[in-house]
Amino acid sequence: MNEYDRHYEHSEIYESTLHERGAINVECMEEYLDNTQDMENLHMAIKNLPEVQKRRLKKYYFEEKTFDEIAFEEGCTYQSIQRSVYRAVAKIKNILKNS
């Protein structure tokens, strides 16, 4: 059955269907490249953060730890962790906005 389906699809290819498929792929490729560029910019912005902010941001967003858990691990207050993460996010937004 699978072999028949593949053959059937190939017999249904016309210029118009090829054009439609090509147009979809170009849009997908442009979107993919835009997303790739956005991710590269985000990684560069994170890379430019101070080490402490980078570490806390990673724990909060990527390791999904709470401010309390991070504060306990680093032996500091909840407020200092919160401020550090929020400032890191603000710096990243500023870098991305200017790029």
Side-chain angles (χ1 to χ4, degrees), residues 21-67:
R21 290 180 185 179
I24 291 171
N25 288 337
V26 169
E27 290 173 10
C28 292
M29 183 59 79
E30 288 174 0
E31 186 177 314
Y32 171 76
L33 292 174
D34 287 343
N35 290 340
T36 302
Q37 185 63 42
D38 291 343
M39 289 303 289
E40 287 177 11
N41 291 341
L42 178 61
H43 284 287
M44 289 304 293
I46 291 172
K47 191 176 181 180
N48 289 329
L49 292 174
E51 200 59 42
V52 173
Q53 286 182 342
K54 193 184 319 181
R55 181 181 65 239
R56 291 174 178 176
L57 187 79
K58 179 184 170 199
K59 287 181 182 183
Y60 184 71
Y61 284 105
F62 300 109
E63 296 177 14
E64 299 180 355
K65 295 184 179 182
T66 65
F67 291 140

Side-chain angles (χ1 to χ4, degrees), residues 1-14 17-18 21:
M1 186 67 174
N2 192 16
E3 187 174 317
Y4 174 77
D5 290 339
R6 285 188 300 212
H7 176 70
Y8 180 74
E9 178 176 313
H10 291 284
S11 68
E12 294 294 318
I13 295 179
Y14 300 107
T17 57
L18 287 174
R21 290 180 185 179

Side-chain angles (χ1 to χ4, degrees), residues 38 41-42 45 91-99:
D38 291 343
N41 291 341
L42 178 61
K91 284 181 184 179
I92 290 171
K93 285 181 181 180
N94 190 29
I95 291 169
L96 294 177
K97 187 170 118 178
N98 293 328
S99 64

Side-chain angles (χ1 to χ4, degrees), residues 81-95:
I81 299 297
Q82 185 182 31
R83 261 190 308 249
S84 181
V85 170
Y86 289 161
R87 285 182 183 158
V89 170
K91 284 181 184 179
I92 290 171
K93 285 181 181 180
N94 190 29
I95 291 169

